[in-house]
Amino acid sequence: MLEVPRNIVKPSRYAGNEPNAVRNRRDKTDVRFALCYPDIYDIGMSYYGFFLLYEIANRLDGVWCERCFAPWQDMEEHLRRSGQPLFTLESRTPLSQMDLVGFSLSYELNITNVLNMLSLSGIPIRADRREGRHPIIICGGPLTLNPKPFDTFFDLVVIGEGEEVLENILQRYRALKGLPRDHIIQELAGLEGVYAPLTGPDKAVKRLYIEDLDGSYHALRPPIPVVGSVHNRLNIEISRGCGNGCRFCMAGYGYRPYRERSVGRLTDIIDRALDITGYEELSFLSLSAGDYSSLGELIEYVKRAHPTTSISLPSLKIGSISEEEIRMLGEGARGGFTFAVEAASHDLRKRLNKDIDVETLLRQLPLLRACGWRNLKLYLMVGFPWETEEDLRSVRQITDPCLKAGIEVNLSVSPFTPKPHTPFERLGVEDEAVLRSKIDVIKKSLPNKRVKVKIRDIETSLVEALIARGDHRLHPLFEHLHEKGVRLEAWSEKFSIAPYREWFHKNDLGFGEFLSARSENTSLPWKFIDTGIDHTFLRMEMERAERGELTIDCHRGCAACGLACRAAPDVCQGSVSGPANLSAATRGGPSGDGYETYTLRYAKFGDARYIGHLDAMSLLVRALKAAGMRLKMHGRYHPKPRMALSPALPVGIESTCELLEVEAEPIQDPHDMLRRITRSLPGGMRALELRPISMRGMNLTFQYILVGGEFRPEGADLWRNNRDKRAFYLWSGANVKELWVTGSFERIIKVDNRRIDGIRTRNQRDVQRNEDRIS
Ligand code: SF4
């Protein structure tokens, strides 16, 4: 059981007891692999790619993959103070005892967290300081398209999409285990898309990508967060890559070509994953969901087969979603629409090859309003070399019609960073003062308060650009930052540019060394990465930008980027095969009659005692749905079940008598249903009793068992004394939280009085079993 001090915020982050977490493979395991996300749990648990690799690794014979996230500052201080190393969530094994440790890198400001996590595990941060006893440290993810600024901290770097190569790495390691560490690293560095920074690369490293996305594995059973994560919903990856060719976009170039999953495959994935997880919201993952060739068909299927499930589309190209699709999404859509406008004026957008149809959006505004949408999110960038004041002011051409249609606008403005592997890779970052003045022009041109403008912090953007465009000269910068205790920089309250400026000043360097424009004669640090895209093509695209010319996108033709891809322009066009395979969890939906009120009594014990009240509520609803309970949904726009819960149980206190009341279609076999609900709950949460009555009808009274401790509160009766080793008291009162924070008791367990009084009912045999487990 996880034991942490009571001042730790959200201790569930460290418990590893999520539904679908793979916790018991120790006996069958030859290879122990820690998959790490270098930010805190709440962020890392939102990433589809992270879960995809987790599932793929755990499907392999002899491999056990566990998760590890950066601890929040309070937990780090606790680990350092108590001399404990950072551990994996599932088995609480120190990272230093793993065979392989892999970091998924998707954000520049997370590199400092990698170093902190390594040092917290007792693993030297530099690859050249590691010895035979240390695990092999690997990195992959979008950031490795320019790995030079940080590659010295890794034994192996993976470039591109990681699912196939991860399988190869783990299987090869299993075959080689026992051989000298250096030998294994060299063997693994021989795999395509992989290199070992200590000895190479001695030739270009090819970026990996999956050619047959439709045939590739899709995650079905992601561990469900026990602490509200940033995006807590079921991610369905409908397509990968982007064919639009926006000249500033590293994702667009770094994930080419555009590939789709067929509708038939996706409907099967959706049915199975909803059954397993019970999620009430789907997010269709794509770099541009509106480009998916069968979006209408897919939305229509979800609305028909899972009528109570809402859909969100993370990012849309303006004009890419049809009126029919908006209507279908209509009331079931979540989160509104987010459009990446990028540049305010049409002329500037042509230079960026951002060919969007603003007129279509403006025509669709009344429909969006009629479908219940009251606001739009728009993304804009500033700092392009051709930008004029007139361009910046023309943002009103989009915001004014929105306001006139009764739709508010949230405008997010970020500085432009010229990214590696794009046609703009040799441009410079705009000067800080100029960026500020350009942002001022935008702000002043939008006096209406119904346009909320959010500006990306410029200093943060400059540091991101520095790392994105950096090279090996930044290795000592990261060591300096690590020594200064820099970490968790993605959190604005933790970020400061001061330690960066300090290092640059000490080394007589300026940010300009990395941020300024680079001539055609300068060698680029990311040149050794072979993305498959022709350098001549990038140069020609830059020239077209200078002339303000558009290039055809991969959906309508081929611009001959050099990839010679097989997917485009004839992308996968699957369709739903046979009758809709309705899932047990969500079939039916709110018919309006035939529902009954049920009350579930459940237990929270062990590590689950750290799960907060609201998180427990979401987990319970998902478990009920995954178990096949058909809940009555309420609400027109975002349908939700109506629930009542017993008063919030303070975090840290265990209980066998928490209650949840819901309305659901009649249940034939409550005992079987209890078993299925428990199977879908986190470790330490258990469904104990399900009765067709309201919560008030349960008529529970309860007391607390106080375990151990010398302090005996007023009114507490000694209940049991375990041969003088441990005292158990029975106590009733309202201020249990105060008792808990005094720290006088090892455990406090809320129990049903019926059990204490010795009254047994059929269901209370479950209580007995669970209380035995607890005590
Ligand atoms: S080869 Fe043609 S279709 Fe394929 S990614 Fe390049 S431009 Fe697009």
Side-chain angles (χ1 to χ4, degrees):
M1 194 160 81
L2 180 70
E3 293 293 346
V4 293
R6 288 166 200 191
N7 66 333
I8 300 289
V9 175
K10 299 187 187 173
S12 279
R13 286 169 175 158
Y14 313 104
N17 58 339
E18 299 87 347
N20 302 329
V22 180
R23 296 196 348 141
N24 293 312
R25 295 193 64 168
R26 211 182 289 262
D27 296 343
K28 303 178 230 156
T29 301
D30 304 319
V31 181
R32 303 283 302 272
F33 173 48
L35 184 60
C36 302
Y37 192 85
D39 204 329
I40 63 168
Y41 179 96
D42 319 34
I43 305 293
M45 286 291 284
S46 304
Y47 278 92
Y48 167 76
F50 190 74
F51 294 124
L52 175 65
L53 297 181
Y54 181 73
E55 264 187 63
I56 286 174
N58 276 318
R59 280 157 51 93
L60 296 175
D61 280 346
V63 175
W64 186 10
C65 173
E66 304 177 53
R67 292 160 300 144
C68 181
F69 300 97
W72 189 248
Q73 198 172 333
D74 53 1
M75 183 64 173
E76 181 189 337
E77 280 162 12
H78 163 63
L79 292 175
R80 290 198 188 278
R81 215 175 21 242
S82 58
Q84 291 179 62
L86 185 63
F87 50 80
T88 58
L89 294 192
E90 283 77 357
S91 68
R92 296 190 193 130
T93 305
L95 288 190
S96 55
Q97 291 176 24
M98 300 309 250
D99 295 309
L100 300 143
V101 174
F103 284 90
S104 168
L105 304 179
S106 54
Y107 182 43
E108 290 85 358
L109 298 193
N110 283 346
I111 300 293
T112 47
N113 292 341
V114 172
L115 305 193
N116 196 41
M117 289 169 78
L118 290 174
S119 90
L120 259 174
S121 321
I123 300 170
I125 61 169
R126 291 183 64 106
D128 58 5
R129 308 270 157 82
R130 289 180 203 131
E131 299 168 2
R133 66 197 158 93
H134 292 120
I136 293 173
I137 312 296
I138 310 171
C139 71
L143 229 55
T144 61
L145 285 174
N146 178 23
K148 272 292 150 202
F150 49 80
D151 69 351
T152 193
F153 307 112
F154 297 94
D155 300 305
L156 292 169
V157 179
V158 175
I159 313 291
E161 296 169 9
E163 52 254 71
E164 283 178 356
V165 74
L166 178 66
E167 277 193 53
N168 286 338
I169 288 175
L170 293 168
Q171 282 164 340
R172 290 280 278 272
Y173 182 89
R174 192 178 176 206
L176 297 168
K177 191 171 175 176
L179 295 175
R181 186 175 182 275
D182 289 348
H183 177 82
I184 298 177
I185 290 173
Q186 282 318 307
E187 284 287 320
L188 297 179
L191 293 168
E192 190 164 67
V194 183
Y195 79 95
L198 268 186
T199 52
D202 48 13
K203 57 180 182 348
V205 184
K206 215 167 154 50
R207 171 184 66 104
L208 301 168
Y209 68 87
I210 306 290
E211 285 197 8
D212 176 16
L213 184 70
D214 203 41
S216 72
Y217 188 77
H218 190 291
L220 292 173
R221 44 181 74 249
I224 297 177
V226 289
V227 171
S229 71
V230 174
H231 299 301
N232 196 354
R233 57 200 178 197
L234 182 63
N235 290 312
I236 301 293
E237 190 192 37
I238 58 174
S239 67
R240 202 179 284 185
C242 179
N244 287 306
C246 300
R247 293 177 180 131
F248 56 84
C249 181
M250 186 154 97
Y253 276 87
Y255 283 86
R256 278 192 175 204
Y258 177 71
R259 292 146 287 163
E260 290 190 350
R261 282 196 167 90
S262 66
V263 177
R265 174 100 169 91
L266 286 171
T267 52
D268 179 52
I269 290 167
I270 290 169
D271 290 345
R272 290 165 66 196
L274 280 178
D275 267 356
I276 292 168
T277 61
Y279 270 116
E280 57 281 345
E281 183 182 354
L282 292 177
S283 178
F284 287 165
L285 289 192
S286 164
L287 285 171
S288 179
D291 289 331
Y292 180 65
S293 58
S294 309
L295 185 64
E297 199 180 343
L298 192 60
I299 296 170
E300 199 266 326
Y301 174 78
V302 174
K303 302 284 287 180
R304 179 163 43 89
H306 306 279
T308 58
T309 303
S310 55
I311 299 169
S312 63
L313 305 176
S315 175
L316 288 168
K317 187 173 87 170
I318 283 184
S320 68
I321 181 162
S322 69
E323 298 201 351
E324 187 53 28
E325 286 157 355
I326 293 174
R327 261 194 206 96
M328 278 194 286
L329 273 174
E331 297 166 4
R334 281 250 173 127
F337 291 114
T338 301
F339 293 107
V341 183
E342 315 302 4
S345 77
H346 176 66
D347 284 350
L348 189 53
R349 285 197 297 270
K350 271 173 79 179
R351 293 186 187 275
L352 311 185
N353 204 36
K354 183 84 194 178
D355 186 19
I356 55 175
D357 181 2
V358 175
E359 294 309 312
T360 299
L361 173 71
L362 300 187
R363 267 200 315 276
Q364 289 170 344
L365 290 174
L367 177 62
L368 289 171
R369 179 90 167 86
C371 286
W373 300 112
R374 299 287 179 271
N375 67 55
L376 285 186
K377 286 184 213 147
L378 300 179
Y379 284 114
L380 200 67
M381 285 194 282
V382 290
F384 293 108
W386 312 274
E387 218 159 44
T388 64
E389 276 203 30
E390 200 43 46
D391 287 320
L392 297 169
R393 280 202 203 92
S394 57
V395 66
R396 286 190 65 165
Q397 288 169 9
I398 301 176
T399 57
D400 283 359
C402 291
L403 299 180
K404 212 162 141 203
I407 295 179
E408 293 186 1
V409 177
N410 292 329
L411 181 70
S412 179
V413 185
S414 315
F416 157 64
T417 300
K419 288 280 176 79
H421 304 291
T422 67
F424 292 169
E425 62 185 356
R426 290 182 182 274
L427 287 175
V429 177
E430 186 72 279
D431 177 77
E432 193 176 337
V434 179
L435 280 174
R436 289 190 196 283
S437 68
K438 286 185 171 181
I439 286 168
D440 267 356
V441 172
I442 292 177
K443 278 200 212 152
K444 282 186 189 137
S445 66
L446 295 169
N448 195 313
K449 288 209 169 58
R450 285 192 295 150
V451 181
K452 293 194 186 82
V453 185
K454 200 172 148 215
I455 308 291
R456 182 99 181 95
D457 179 60
I458 291 183
E459 290 186 338
T460 307
S461 294
L462 291 176
V463 169
E464 289 164 4
L466 176 77
I467 299 167
R469 298 167 56 79
D471 56 38
H472 66 281
R473 287 175 292 168
L474 296 186
H475 297 168
L477 165 69
F478 283 114
E479 287 176 288
H480 164 83
L481 296 171
H482 178 61
E483 277 159 26
K484 292 275 166 194
V486 174
R487 59 197 177 280
L488 300 173
E489 292 178 282
W491 299 83
S492 55
E493 69 271 31
K494 306 276 183 201
F495 174 79
S496 164
I497 203 168
Y500 289 85
R501 293 210 194 280
E502 183 186 291
W503 182 82
F504 272 84
H505 181 72
K506 233 199 275 178
N507 290 281
D508 212 14
L509 282 169
F511 274 32
E513 303 261 352
F514 299 92
L515 303 187
S516 54
R518 297 175 197 191
S519 73
E520 283 295 332
N521 306 326
T522 319
S523 174
L524 298 170
W526 49 87
K527 206 174 140 220
F528 73 103
I529 306 281
D530 175 11
T531 61
I533 295 168
D534 204 329
H535 288 283
T536 319
F537 177 77
L538 294 183
R539 201 170 53 242
M540 278 164 45
E541 277 297 281
M542 182 61 209
E543 287 163 11
R544 284 191 195 116
E546 298 282 9
R547 297 195 295 270
E549 288 174 10
L550 289 170
T551 298
I552 193 160
D553 64 62
C554 308
H555 304 289
R556 291 178 297 163
C558 175
C561 71
L563 209 54
C565 71
R566 285 198 279 151
D570 183 24
V571 292
C572 192
Q573 300 274 356
S575 62
V576 185
S577 50
N581 172 21
L582 301 187
S583 80
T586 50
R587 200 165 32 204
S591 65
D593 14 60
Y595 290 99
E596 283 190 44
T597 297
Y598 283 92
T599 297
L600 171 78
R601 184 167 62 83
Y602 65 96
K604 257 173 85 182
F605 55 90
D607 293 339
R609 72 195 189 280
Y610 292 130
I611 299 175
H613 189 63
L614 292 178
D615 292 319
M617 190 163 78
S618 318
L619 290 159
L620 282 160
V621 172
R622 281 173 201 144
L624 297 183
K625 289 173 78 181
M629 249 176 112
R630 296 172 199 170
L631 304 180
K632 182 173 180 180
M633 307 298 270
H634 297 265
R636 192 166 166 219
Y637 293 121
H638 300 146
K640 282 188 176 140
R642 188 174 291 151
M643 294 178 294
L645 277 101
S646 44
L649 185 73
V651 168
I653 293 175
E654 296 163 83
S655 174
T656 61
C657 50
E658 296 309 290
L659 299 179
L660 167 76
E661 179 188 300
V662 283
E663 299 156 293
E665 285 183 20
I667 294 163
Q668 305 307 326
D669 183 345
H671 294 288
D672 178 55
M673 183 59 77
L674 282 175
R675 268 195 301 278
R676 283 190 277 148
I677 296 170
T678 298
R679 238 185 4 233
S680 302
L681 283 169
M685 280 180 81
R686 182 168 280 259
L688 299 178
E689 189 178 354
L690 185 63
R691 299 176 63 189
I693 53 174
S694 86
M695 211 160 85
R696 286 188 302 279
M698 291 290 275
N699 206 17
L700 284 196
T701 53
F702 55 84
Q703 293 184 73
Y704 295 94
I705 300 174
L706 313 176
V707 183
E710 292 178 359
F711 166 69
R712 179 170 166 176
E714 202 178 320
D717 299 323
L718 188 64
W719 181 51
R720 272 190 206 160
N721 202 338
N722 191 1
R723 295 195 194 99
D724 296 329
K725 283 184 193 149
R726 246 171 165 195
F728 294 77
Y729 300 97
L730 266 185
W731 177 84
S732 321
N735 56 346
V736 67
K737 193 171 174 185
E738 281 170 36
L739 275 187
W740 177 243
V741 292
T742 59
S744 304
F745 298 96
E746 283 169 39
R747 302 173 71 180
I748 298 183
I749 306 155
K750 184 178 167 187
V751 286
D752 179 358
N753 266 348
R754 294 176 300 176
R755 169 75 188 95
I756 297 297
D757 294 342
I759 301 165
R760 293 280 184 90
T761 66
R762 203 156 73 106
N763 284 330
Q764 280 172 337
R765 278 197 282 275
D766 289 332
V767 182
Q768 173 70 68
R769 269 202 299 277
N770 283 291
E771 286 176 2
D772 287 347
R773 283 177 57 142
I774 291 169
S775 54

